[in-house]
Amino acid sequence: NGGLELEFPDGASYQANDQFLIQPSKEAASNLSLAINRAEDLAFATPIRVDSSINNLGSAKVTNVSVSNTFVDNVTPFDNATSGFNGSAGLQVAGSSPTGAGGVGAPTTIRFTSATDYVVEDAAGNTVSTVTGATNLNNLLTQAEGGTGWPAAFTALADYPGYDISLEGIPKAGDRFTIGYNTSGFNDNSNGVKLANIENSDLVLQSNDGNTNKVSFNEKYTAIVNDVGTKAATAEINYDASVALERQSSDWFNSSSGVSLDEEAADLIRFQQAYTASARVLSTAQTLFETILGAVR
């Protein structure tokens, strides 16, 4: 239940009333440690960056660089999850890519031949794919997979090359955009921006009752705080009501069958005062009687 499953070994050593204390998070805080202490070590940059040629004449600009796969495998037979990264701060070149010797390497250059046509090339200038009649500039490498010449060995892999770029604007013939490994994370905080956006991304299940609807971390946190606050307030109200009922029940019991110490003490004082007053009356009467007898003697 709730993702937790316990399994005990078979045996006859169990006895009635055996108990097991489960504290899955008891040591969690003690195992926390500082992994980095320099801001430069935070992976705020993506593994690749895109540079536009200074000779570009069009208005096209890079709007998004996405990385979906960084798995490295440079040895035949290539793993199905292979990406275009070579594991040595670079991208695969011809001869080390899944196309084998004499093939082409991972895409590294997008060269426009018109506003809607472009050629994808590897680091050596070999043509990887040709795209004509592009209706938009989103995910250019994904579009290139459906273009002319894209290697079947690339298509056979689950996610190759594992990166893509999108542009915005109008390119002109001759405009060039070069994809390279982002050594030292230069001039890029796109990962940091995406990390910050997780707060408002719908990634958390709304509930664990089988509902598959998702909400953001911020919405879920707010819902948890509201839920805890509501339950705490309800518990406090119920407690006050229970205390009042207990006091009322106690008063009813004492009034019908119990003895009130305060009431008995008041009666005792009243009776004591009445007795004292009666004694004084008797004493006064005796004195008067003796006076009268003395007067007639």
Side-chain angles (χ1 to χ4, degrees):
N1 183 23
L4 178 64
E5 181 177 350
L6 302 177
E7 182 176 347
F8 296 95
D10 296 333
S13 59
Y14 301 108
Q15 301 293 330
N17 298 321
D18 282 356
Q19 297 183 5
F20 300 89
L21 179 62
I22 303 172
Q23 297 177 301
S25 60
K26 180 180 179 181
E27 306 294 338
S30 62
N31 294 327
L32 294 176
S33 61
L34 182 64
I36 59 175
N37 53 21
R38 299 192 321 145
E40 293 83 353
D41 293 331
L42 295 173
F44 283 161
T46 56
I48 63 171
R49 70 169 179 263
V50 181
D51 297 317
S52 58
S53 173
I54 60 174
N55 296 319
N56 287 358
L57 299 177
S59 61
K61 304 294 181 182
V62 178
T63 58
N64 184 55
V65 177
S66 61
V67 178
S68 56
N69 182 20
T70 58
F71 185 81
V72 175
D73 183 5
N74 296 318
V75 181
T76 304
F78 294 96
D79 188 281
N80 183 57
T82 300
S83 71
F85 295 92
N86 62 13
S88 300
L91 302 176
Q92 291 176 337
V93 296
S96 66
S97 66
T99 54
V104 295
T108 61
T109 303
I110 295 177
R111 177 172 53 84
F112 283 88
T113 56
S114 74
T116 58
D117 304 332
Y118 61 92
V119 177
V120 178
E121 301 172 339
D122 65 8
N126 300 312
T127 298
V128 178
S129 177
T130 301
V131 178
T132 57
T135 58
N136 60 70
L137 302 180
N138 296 324
N139 301 318
L140 297 180
L141 296 184
T142 299
Q143 295 190 54
E145 186 174 352
T148 303
W150 186 267
F154 289 0
T155 303
L157 301 176
D159 184 11
Y160 191 91
Y163 52 85
D164 210 337
I165 70 169
S166 297
L167 305 179
E168 184 180 70
I170 302 176
K172 290 189 175 182
D175 285 359
R176 183 185 298 265
F177 295 87
T178 303
I179 304 170
Y181 191 83
N182 196 8
T183 304
S184 301
F186 175 78
N187 195 27
D188 184 9
N189 68 341
S190 53
N191 264 2
V193 173
K194 292 179 180 178
L195 187 63
N197 288 335
I198 290 179
E199 176 185 3
N200 299 314
S201 301
D202 293 339
L203 299 174
V204 185
L205 284 176
Q206 191 174 38
S207 64
N208 59 355
D209 59 358
N211 190 334
T212 59
N213 295 333
K214 294 184 178 181
V215 295
S216 68
F217 284 98
N218 190 36
E219 290 173 324
K220 188 62 176 179
Y221 174 75
T222 302
I224 291 175
V225 171
N226 290 337
D227 185 50
V228 172
T230 300
K231 289 182 178 179
T234 301
E236 185 175 359
I237 293 173
N238 290 339
Y239 171 78
D240 292 339
S242 298
V243 170
L245 288 174
E246 187 273 336
R247 186 175 302 156
Q248 186 178 32
S249 298
S250 178
D251 292 342
W252 282 346
F253 174 80
N254 291 333
S255 65
S256 61
S257 62
V259 176
S260 173
L261 295 179
D262 293 339
E263 184 178 352
E264 295 300 325
D267 288 342
L268 181 61
I269 294 173
R270 182 166 55 85
F271 294 150
Q272 183 180 10
Q273 291 175 343
Y275 176 81
T276 302
S278 298
R280 285 176 179 265
V281 170
L282 291 175
S283 177
T284 302
Q286 185 178 5
T287 301
L288 290 174
F289 184 71
E290 289 179 353
T291 301
I292 294 172
L293 288 178
V296 297
R297 285 178 182 173

